Structures are given as C-alpha cells and as structure tokens.
Amino acid sequence: MAKINEDLLKERKKCSFNTAELTHLLDGGKDKTLERRSREHFFLDDPELRSKIPSEYLSHKEKYEEAIRKSCILFRKVQELQEAGKGGMDNYREILGGQLGSAILKDGNPITLHYVMFIPTIMGQGNFEQQAEWIQKAWTCSIIGTYAQTELGHGTFIRGLETTATYDPKTEEFVLNSPTLTSYKWWPGGLGHSANFAIVVAQLYTQGKCHGIHPFIVQLRDEETHMPMKGIKIGEIGCKLGMNSTNNGYLGFENYRIPRTNLLMKNNKVLPDGTYVKSPSSKLTYGTMIFVRVVLVQDCASYMKKAVTIATRYSAVRHQSEMKPNCPEPQIIDYVTQQYKLFPYIAMSFAFQYSASWLWDIYNNVTGELESGQLENLPELHALACCLKAVGTADCAAGVETLRLACGGHGYMTASNLPSTYGLATAMCTYEGENTVLLLQTARYLIKIWQNKKNIQKLPTVRYLDNALFNNRSYEKSVSWILSALQQVAAAKIDLANKHINDRVRQGKAYEDAWNETSIELVAAADAHCRTFLLDIFNLTVNNFQLISPELKAVLTDLLELYAVHTAIRMTGDLLRFTNTIGKDVEALQLWLEELLAKIRPNAIGIVDSFDIRDEVLGSALGAYDGNVYERLFAEAQKSPLNQEPVNKSFGLYLKPFLKNNL
Amino acid sequence: MAKINEDLLKERKKCSFNTAELTHLLDGGKDKTLERRSREHFFLDDPELRSKIPSEYLSHKEKYEEAIRKSCILFRKVQELQEAGKGGMDNYREILGGQLGSAILKDGNPITLHYVMFIPTIMGQGNFEQQAEWIQKAWTCSIIGTYAQTELGHGTFIRGLETTATYDPKTEEFVLNSPTLTSYKWWPGGLGHSANFAIVVAQLYTQGKCHGIHPFIVQLRDEETHMPMKGIKIGEIGCKLGMNSTNNGYLGFENYRIPRTNLLMKNNKVLPDGTYVKSPSSKLTYGTMIFVRVVLVQDCASYMKKAVTIATRYSAVRHQSEMKPNCPEPQIIDYVTQQYKLFPYIAMSFAFQYSASWLWDIYNNVTGELESGQLENLPELHALACCLKAVGTADCAAGVETLRLACGGHGYMTASNLPSTYGLATAMCTYEGENTVLLLQTARYLIKIWQNKKNIQKLPTVRYLDNALFNNRSYEKSVSWILSALQQVAAAKIDLANKHINDRVRQGKAYEDAWNETSIELVAAADAHCRTFLLDIFNLTVNNFQLISPELKAVLTDLLELYAVHTAIRMTGDLLRFTNTIGKDVEALQLWLEELLAKIRPNAIGIVDSFDIRDEVLGSALGAYDGNVYERLFAEAQKSPLNQEPVNKSFGLYLKPFLKNNL
C-alpha cells in the first residue's frame, strides 16, 4: 500500500467517532457493507474491466468500441451473479448505472437500458404471452433492447410525440412511420449502433382514430448481421457534454411493419379486427416514472458523496497562501470560505439519502395500493417525486460544480474526475422530466390542496400547510424553529401565488394565462415546499436513530443542524418576508453556521472516509484515500499519448515550416 | 441562403427598433462594425481554417495536431494583417482568444500565449537590449514562446512558487531547478509540445539571498529538432473539462543553465558579480495583471451574448407542451419561466460590457499615472478589477449554464456549442486569480476604506460608502431607488463584517483569525459592492446616450430596469435586512419583473440579432440565424464517424459472440 499523506494521517487521528459505525449505518447494516464490498471486489478487481488508455484520450469511435467490449464483459459477469442467485434488481442499477457502473464505464454503458428499461417495460406492460415470448430472450441476453420514447421535437411533454403506429387489419400489423423530421426518435441510449430491439413509444391509430401513445416491441437490426432492417433509419446523435459512450441514437420509420402482437397489451389492447380495448386503470403506468425519479434522488446522494470526498480530501492535502505572516502555508480546509464550500454538501448528501429512502418506502406502499385499485395516495406521491427530483438534481449539480471549483485549477482536470461527475449530475436536471416542468407539476398539486384543504390531515407530506401560515415562532437556535419557519415560508408562497393567480383571473385573464404569468412564483413555492420536506425527513431520521453511539449521534446532529442553517441562510429573504424573523436573527444564524463549520472541521475527513468509496469509484487523482495528490496528477499526465514521444509530428508538418519561413 | 424559420421571421417583424443601430452602438460606431465584419470575413471564410471532421470526434492527439495546423495558418494570416498595417493588439486578443479565435479553434489555440503573454512580458519587463534581441525574433515568429508561472503546488498565491534560479557569478549564469514535485510548472498553454521558448517565473537567489520571484527567458527545445533541451523535463498535463487543444504543459528543471542576461531586467537587475539591484517602482508589474482582468470582463460579456443568442433563438423556434387545451403548442419563449431564464442574461451582457469598458478607461488613466510615478489610484483600480473579474466570471458561468439548461436535452449536445462555451466560461472563475481569493482582496480594500474614510470623496467607485448606511429611501419603482438600496446593503455588509472582525479581536483572537472567521461575510460584502458598481455604470451609460433613437433608448431602458430588478430580487434578503424595504415592496418588485419580461418579449430576437454574431462564431445548431434547428441537429449527427458505416466493428468483435453465446 502506498504511503499515506501526513496531513490525512493527522486528520484521521482527530476524528471523534468510529467511521465504521457510520459506514454501516449508511449502508443499512454491516452485512450490507460487506455485500457491497464483495460486489465491488467482483467487478473492480477484474483486470478485463480495465482500459489500457484512459478513455478521454481516445477518439469518439474508439471510446464506443472500448465501451462495447467492457459492457459485454460486465453483462457476462452479471449473468454469473444471476446464476449464483445474487442478481436482485438493486444490484443491476448499481452495476449498470450507479457509482460502480460509472467507475467501470466512465462515459456511460451503451447497453444499460436493456436491463433498466427494456426488460422492466416488457414486465410491466406486456401481457402473459408477451412476457413468455420476450422476457426469456431478453433475460438471457440473446437480444439487446433499448427504450425509444423521446423524439427530436418532444421530450418531457410526451403527449406531443409524433411517431405513428397505424393498425392494418388486413395483415394484422402495425405500420410505423416518422411523419416529420421532429418525429425522429432522438436520445435513447444504445439506439445508435448497439441494440437490435427497442420498445418504441408511438401514437396508436386504429379504425381511423388516434388512441394516444402506446409501447411497441420493434426489431431494429438483423440478429445475424446487425444491419438495420429495411424501413428503419438509424444512427447516433453525436457528441455530448458527457456520457459519450452511451451511444444515444436516432431512429426514423418508413412504413415499417410489425405484428399486432408487438403492441404491449397488458393494459390496452387492439383486437385482430382493429377494435381498441381500453384498460380501466391507466394510472398504472405512472409507477415506472416515479420509480426512476426515486432512483435519481439516490443518485444525487451518490454523486454528491463522491464529489465531496474528492474535494474534502484534496482540501486537507493542499496548502496555500498564508494566513499569518511567517507561518507555514495552511491546509486550505482551514479557510472558513473553503469549509463553506465543502461541509454544506457533506450534510446535503445525507439529506438526499434520507429523503430518497423515505420516498422509496412510500413508493412501495403506494404501488402496493395501486395493485389493489387504490389510487388516492398517488397524486401526493407524484407531486413529491417531481419536486424531489427537481430540487435534488439541481442542488446536486450546483454542489458538484461548487466542489469542483473549490479544487481550483486541478478541479478542471479530467484526472480529478469532477468534470465528468458534473457531466452526469447536470444531465439529471434535464432527463426524466425537465426540472422547471416538474416543479410546476408539484405547484399544480399544491395549489389544488391549498384551495381545498378538506382531507389535508390524511396527507403526510402536505398536512403542515393546514396552519403553517400562522406559525410565527420567535427565533430560537433549533432545527425545529428552522423547520417551522420554512413551513411558514412554503405556505405563504403557495398562498401568495394562489392570490396572484386569482388577481389575474379577476383582471379578466384566462386561468391558463394567469397561471403562466404567476409561474415564477409557483416554481419558487414548489421549491420551498420541497425544502421543508428534505429538512423534515433528515430531522426525523436523525432523531429516530436508537442504537447508535453518542459520538456518532453528535456528528449526525452537527450535519443536520448545518443542513438546516445553510438552508435557512439561503432563504434569508423568504424568512424575513414571510415569518417574524428579524435582522438580528439572521446575524445569529450566520454565527451558528460559523460555529457548525468549526465543529465539523475535525471530523470532515472522518465523515467522507465513512462513505467508504473505493479509489476506483472516485477515479480521482485528487481524492484517493492515500492523498498522494501531486504524485497521482503527475502519473496521470504520463498516460497521455502525446507524452509518449518527445516531439509530436505536427512540429515537422506545420510548426517548423512556419518558423523557418520567418527566419 | 437557407430558408428562414417562420417563427423567427415573425419575431423579426415584431421588433420595435432598428437592430443595426444597436449593433453599431455596441461595436462603438458603424466603422467599427464594418471593420469587425471584414476581420471576420478574412478569417472565417478561409477554407483552410475549417476542419473536415468536428474536433469532438478526434482523439486527443489528433485534436492537438489539427490545432497546430490551424494555428500556423492563423498566425500567417495575422502576419498578413501586420504587413497590411492592420495589426493592433486589440485584434490579436479577438483573433487568438476571443469569440473569433474560439470559433476557429473551438478547443483552444496552443500557441496563443506567444502573442498574449510572451511578447507583452518581454516588452513590459525587458530592458532595451533585451527587447532588441528578443522582440524581433518573437514578433516575426521565428521562435514560439509561452509564459510559465503557475506550478503544480501554487497558483494564485504567487509568492509561494518554488522554482529556483540561482546565480552563479563564475559563469555568469542562472541555474534553474525544480526542487520538489510541486515546483513543476503546470498549466501554461502551449508548454507541452508547442513552444520552444518560455518566460519562466522563478525565485531569484544571488549571493546566498532570495529576492523573490522574477521572470526569465528560457529556451525549452532545440530550434532545429524541437527536442527538449538537456536538463528540461517537459510534457503535457493531460485532458481537461474543456480547451483540450491548448496543450497545457508541465516543466521541470535539473540544473538548467541560462545566461545572466536572460533575466528580464527592466525593473530589477543582477550585475555580473551577483549584486542585486532593486527597482524603485515594483508596483509597475501590477499593470499586466489588471489588464488581463479587464479583458476577462469583456470576455464575460462575449460569452454571455453568444449563449443568450443561441438560447433565445432556440426558444423562439421550439414549441412544446400546451398552455391551453386544444391550442397549438406554444413557442417555449412564451413561458414566463423560460423568459426568466433568458432575458436577465441579455441584460447582464450589457452590464458587463459597459463595466468592462469603464474599467478599460480607468485602467488606461491609472497606467498613465503610474508611468509618471503617481500610485494613489492603483489600490482602488486593483480592488475594482478583482471583484469585477470574480463577479463577472461567476455570473457568466452560471448564466451560460442556466441558458444551456434552458435548451433542455439539446443543450447537452456538443452541436449546441453550449457545453464548450460553458467550459471556457467556468475556467475563467479559476485562472488569473481564484474568485474567492479575489473577492477577499477587494474586501481588504473596502475594510481599510471603511476604517478611514478621510479621502473617500476622491475615490469614485467607493465614495458612495460615505453615507450610504443612512440612505433609507422608501420604495419607488425606479432604478435610482434600487441603486440607492444596493449601496446601502453594500455599506451595511462592510460595516457588519468590520464589526464582527472587531468583536472577535476583542474576544482575544488574532486579527488574522478574526478575518478568517468573518470571511464568508467579507466575500458577501465585496460581492454586494461589485453589484452596486455594475448597476451604477449600466445606469450612467444608458442615461448618457445622446444620439440614439427614442425606440432604442426605450429598449435599453427596459434592459437596464430588468438588470436592476433582477439584481434586487436576487438580493431580497439583503434588502429586507439592511434597508427599509418591506414585504410589500418585494411583491411590487416581482410584479415589475414580470412586466419587464413581457415588455422585452417582442424585442428579444431583435436584441440578440443586434449582437450580430456570425453563425460560425455561434457554432451552434440551435442558434443559427436561420433557425433551422432540427435540420442542423440532424446534419451535425451525420458527421459522426460512427454514422459512416451501418455496423460498427465492435458488433463482430464483442457483441455478436456475447449474444450468440446466450442463445
């Protein structure tokens, strides 16, 4: 093992709690920690899953080819796990898309959607016969599928999709067409050159009538030759900010025919004669969408933990400038402005993890209820998932970027792994529902609830709205005061937005126009609501821990308080405007913040160590456990192909003739 | 010419003012507009300066080689301009680093520092003989130089640099060494494999004493073979978030000897016997640092204009979702939340441009004074340049990113050119002085002024502090009220931070510790001060325009007001806390904001058209003048090397064996 950096050794000695205890708590128990580590060992210690050259030096095409090589090995190993009976769906997410997956395939896995979307959609929306036919093929990976929904012209607004599937009762086939350029499928991962099958979402037409969007199983490429089928125009969409191995593709249809039975018919059916039979419970398909958003909130916690581990360790190793004349250069983690960039994001990663886990539980409850026909808790869950996805991904992306910038110039280097972590984090702001659109969906629910509070006490995430407008508690240095103040803010913002909509309607405007004109405030109201929830759950979770040591409890309480105070200070304007907070209270909050930064300082390295993220997962010269930052940066630079020869050929080709010409 | 998108045609008809008038105003006159366009024509219409394949598809090495090819052509064309007598320093910046430069070399120019840093440093810091010897070689490009200051271990804190240059009187040489790994030069552009000379900044030792950092001319590579000189360890530092053709390098020395006369000796000298002779006016070197920051504020305006042109045009072309049932999908620019993402950044680009131009003027005045030995205005200029660089680059990066996200998924595509614009913008937050460090430098000046206001009325950028604490104007709907309130906020924040430092000192803390513990508030105070300046200058500039049409004046006034209101709303907490603003006033500000968005809406396309940015400079499928967004996205995708063949070889190599094995 490499020598550990002296500063990190000292930091680790300072830590006031047992880091293993926190690791187990975060994993959900010691057995889970061991299970995770053994999974990590199984994948990360396999030399076949390593690349000779870091992918950033490869051409776009080479990156893709290397990604396919690794993905096939990865899938084979997943099959090994299945055969050993260790293949739960949880594992897939982690291996294919989570921290582990992005450690192995930094620029994305081109065939991930096979497990993440293709198989689940067939399971969720195929009828018994369809499952029998397709799941077997897909599960054993004798075909590779993707999920083609988004088009060049439409993303979040799925009703606007333009691809058509028109039923022809003569041949009992659907005829797929892309009537416009904007109707081309655009974005699906692996669609470009990897998958040979796809679920395609298209407007279903039968007997001259459109029945809205439906999912179809479509063969894209010949199973033997991989050549695109006739009537299919297919390719990749080109380079992106990040994830350049995911092989996002486009897809157009020209009178492409598929059997009637390729319409997934668990819910809605088309009979051989073309009769459309509608399912009674169309809300069932909400489930997957919410599931994906739960996973995204978990991912927010993961990315944040990764970035904050890198930046915190680097800040303990890096020395810079002088605080006092003639003293040695301090560790940059001793600058309070630096602590302010790091520690709130440590705390935030806990907030996200706890909210994600709460959301996961209610998701499971509500989907259980759905199966038995109960729908009444769905709108609340949907509203919550929307705003948590939006606020979580926005805070996560901003956090990762703040942490990257906190590493100065070295944070700009690919070798820090912060740029590509940002590339992954910021993408989440857009996919699976654009954030502003999602916040407006939450706002729509909140305004509805606000206008009719009849059953509000039955709704755990919004019942605080019943009387929060009148909280008016005088400042005290407690999380409970901050929570109460945030709730009052959320209520006041919903109330005010509602009032402004009504004012505009009274002025003669259509409700939709009034809504649009008030939408900046509506977004802010949904955001405030979400932040009360995040704090509430963090608070409940920490207070409910029973079997933890007092040392760990103290650390978690510091983090909870920091999260609360940091949130409150970011919302100073709202507190002053909507609660009876006064200027002096803000001063007190600022002092409390500074106290908390100082309290967390000695435990900062211990906390990020507890996240127990392997060096291969961090993938960062700045963040490795041993803290040999400069040695690692230098070693990474040596891998550049340009550094394999003292003089690049461009000197002889271009530079020398130019210079000589000027002599 | 391609057919223009119908929506854009309609938008252009709606415009209430003459866009050419605004173009000329922004360029500084019609002649300047023509000059710029002719320069653009000279470079952008040269087919030799185009690449066959978009650079994002190339390998890292190929990118570099293509960049050297283009750079040599670019330099040859710059020489042509020189010969034609059109070669002012302004042009170089624009051609090598500005919008034009980044249109030609999207990932950066590896030899730019030759003109931008190498030649200016010799001119500024070389004595007469040195200029005679080196400027000729450099100006004709028979050598190519770079500027090597930053090291692996030190950036903004330049006193901490570790490279040593020890004088040996026996041979009349300096001996250069890199005593540690962290002393390796790290980051200089073109250092890796391009330049054969460099200015190297090193700690000068003579007669056993260290005299601090000094600039030396150092030969890096053999002029004939380009092989690194003996004693020089050199290479590139590897991939980064952006600018991957700039060939940033590292450099280490092992007893590398250079003649005494390679120390740039305009200011300080070492005599042949080793005697060190100090210059009386060491502050002279401040000039270049401030100059670069002025240029960065101009660049902030440029990047912002580019990003906002792309996002605004896309928002006029893109239709999505439904506002009202059974109505066509609206242009997304009609969503107020979208306007809120776009229009404030249109306004902000004006604020930056006007402040940059004001800063440029005082920079010229103050450097004039410096030449005649007057130093008293330097601290104010330095403090202002620091905070403008920090606030400008931070707002610019955040703005570009907001605009990228406002383009949804398509903003994530390289073809939008928003990711690489962000890559350039966010880099500015770190280089040429890390933003937090710079804001603390401004804060140090402000605290000093606050503690001694004797001469404050002579200092135009801070004299408002004299009585701003007592402004207390009641709300009125005017820019002047907002400015007065912001000034009160800045004063109050400085006052409070000062009080908190003093409190801590009284509690027995060292001043430096008290400063550090108060630094979050100090940063916020400097930020607030900077924002008063930005608004003040924007306001003065618009009010001083005499010869413009009333239609244009009205548009500029809308933008000024939007900038003011947007700033005020972002600072709601401060207004409520430090001025006599009340909740109702915030509600009024919000309404005013919404009014302004609606007022600017019909002119939005006209304003961004007035920026007159050529399609080649925008480099964006989403932002082109013709608005053929989807056609261009599709055409860009076709350029991917992966799309040149229906089946990639990885199918045969990896995917097919995997699938077949599962049958």
Side-chain angles (χ1 to χ4, degrees), chain A residues 191-217:
Chain A
L191 178 62
H193 301 84
S194 314
N196 52 13
F197 279 80
I199 305 292
V200 170
V201 178
Q203 301 286 356
L204 189 160
Y205 284 83
T206 181
Q207 299 178 335
K209 206 182 144 202
C210 178
H211 294 274
I213 54 171
H214 287 72
F216 300 84
I217 297 186

Side-chain angles (χ1 to χ4, degrees), chain A residues 361-380:
Chain A
D361 291 344
I362 42 171
Y363 165 76
N364 283 318
N365 290 345
V366 174
T367 44
E369 292 170 10
L370 283 182
E371 295 296 331
S372 60
Q374 278 179 268
L375 298 177
E376 69 259 36
N377 290 319
L378 190 61
E380 186 188 11

Side-chain angles (χ1 to χ4, degrees), chain B residues 25 33 72 156 203 431 444 460 466 496 601:
Chain B
L25 186 78
T33 300
C72 289
T156 303
Q203 301 285 356
Y431 63 60
R444 205 169 282 281
D466 210 4
L496 196 63
R601 166 68 188 86

